[in-house]
Structure formats: C-alpha cells, structure tokens
Amino acid sequence: MKIELVKNLLPEEHGKIKQLVGEAFVTNELFHNWGTLEERHDDVIKYMDYYVEYVYQSKALYSTEDKTGYIGLMDSKNAPTGPQLKMLLKMFRGFKFSKIKSLLSFIKQIENGNAKYAKSHHLDILMVCVDKGHQGKGIATSLVNFAKQSIPQFTVAPSYVLISVLIVKGNSFHSLYFTLYVLPSMVIS
C-alpha cells in the first residue's frame, strides 16, 4: 500500500479530511467531558479541523493513495512551533475555556504516561484515522508499519516510535494504549 506526504491540499480536500477525522474522533474518550455525542459533535469537528491543519502545516500528514487512511508523523527533534501556536490561538478563540481545560487535562494524563520516553528522541504518531467504510482491511496496520519503516529517513534516527492511540470502533471507545516499538539501535547484545 502506497502512503505519502499530503501536499498542496485544496480547501475541499481539507474539508473532507477534517470531516473524516472529526467523525472518527467524536466518540473518542478525549472529548467525553464535552457533553453527549450530539452536544459535542460540532465542537469535535471544529477541533479536529484545527488539529488536521496543524498536522498538515507541520508537514506531518500522510495518507494512503486512495485517501482512506491518514497518519500524522512527527520527529520529536524537529517539531515546528509555528503551526502549534496557530492551533492554540484558534482554540482559545473558538472554544469555551472549560472545554480547553478538560482537553488539556486529558492530554496531560497522556503525557504523564509517556514522560519517561518522551524526553528521548522519538517519532510521534499524532493520529491514525481510517474511513469507517474501509476499517477492518488492515489500513491502520499499514499506516503504523509505514511509521516504523520511516525511521531511517531521519538524519539522526530516533531510537523508538512512541504511539499514543485511542481506539475507536463504530460509536464506542474501546481502549487507550501506549506502545513502544524498540528499534535495533536500542538492543544491547
């Protein structure tokens, strides 16, 4: 399966990606404090619009050739701050403080779980999303494998891939897991 960096994104393509990613994350535990599914729907779509734009502007958004799967990949040593600051400003203008506070609280919990690893050079998988009509076909696995295979592209290769993923199937949240893929450079013989 061919996976490539998303470039020259047209506004209608951005809208499609925003909708696909937003719909996938509406049921995500990350947004549970934002109300019922119906109450949070539009805000989650708006937040994921900001997030997808951040990942795209950071040159970290990849997709399958048929645009049914997306992954955000970022080298921890080269994470651009400009797009992140733009996203934060949009959030403060677009959301009530209580929603931002609950989101930041949940993100802090994830960061605390990753703290021991996040200080080292690593490749972050920011998000993985597969169109609902194409789930169960191995696309997410292909995207994660692409991330693991991307390590040699870095000038100074990260020593591992850190993944923080919320699993969403249908309309329910299943689990939160952290996976550390140890690369050969970390193996002591």
Side-chain angles (χ1 to χ4, degrees), residues 74-177:
M74 191 171 293
D75 180 351
S76 66
K77 294 267 188 202
N78 297 314
T81 55
Q84 189 173 28
L85 289 174
K86 281 184 190 176
M87 181 184 75
L88 290 172
L89 287 173
K90 284 182 178 181
M91 284 178 59
F92 280 107
R93 285 193 307 251
F95 292 107
K96 292 180 182 176
F97 183 72
S98 61
K99 289 190 178 186
I100 295 170
K101 186 178 174 185
S102 72
L103 182 63
L104 293 176
S105 172
F106 196 82
I107 290 169
K108 183 78 171 160
Q109 290 174 17
I110 293 171
E111 285 177 351
N112 289 343
N114 291 340
K116 138 178 167 179
Y117 303 110
K119 292 177 186 173
S120 301
H121 188 200
H122 62 278
L123 179 65
D124 265 325
I125 294 185
L126 305 171
M127 67 172 195
V128 178
C129 184
V130 177
D131 182 275
K132 286 181 183 180
H134 293 85
Q135 291 177 1
K137 298 180 180 177
I139 296 171
T141 300
S142 294
L143 290 165
V144 171
N145 286 337
F146 171 78
K148 291 191 288 185
Q149 294 163 1
S150 295
I151 296 294
Q153 294 177 25
F154 296 99
T155 307
V156 177
S159 51
Y160 60 88
V161 178
L162 183 60
I163 306 173
S164 304
V165 182
L166 291 163
I167 305 297
V168 179
K169 288 201 174 202
N171 290 329
S172 63
F173 165 75
H174 284 275
S175 64
L176 171 64
Y177 70 91

Side-chain angles (χ1 to χ4, degrees), residues 42-79:
D42 292 344
D43 283 339
V44 172
I45 297 292
K46 184 181 358 176
Y47 171 76
M48 294 314 294
D49 176 22
Y50 299 163
Y51 192 75
V52 167
E53 182 66 20
Y54 153 68
V55 175
Y56 173 71
Q57 292 297 325
S58 298
K59 296 182 178 30
L61 182 63
Y62 293 81
S63 74
T64 57
E65 191 172 23
D66 62 359
K67 309 286 191 241
T68 57
Y70 294 89
I71 188 167
L73 296 177
M74 191 171 293
D75 180 351
S76 66
K77 294 267 188 202
N78 297 314

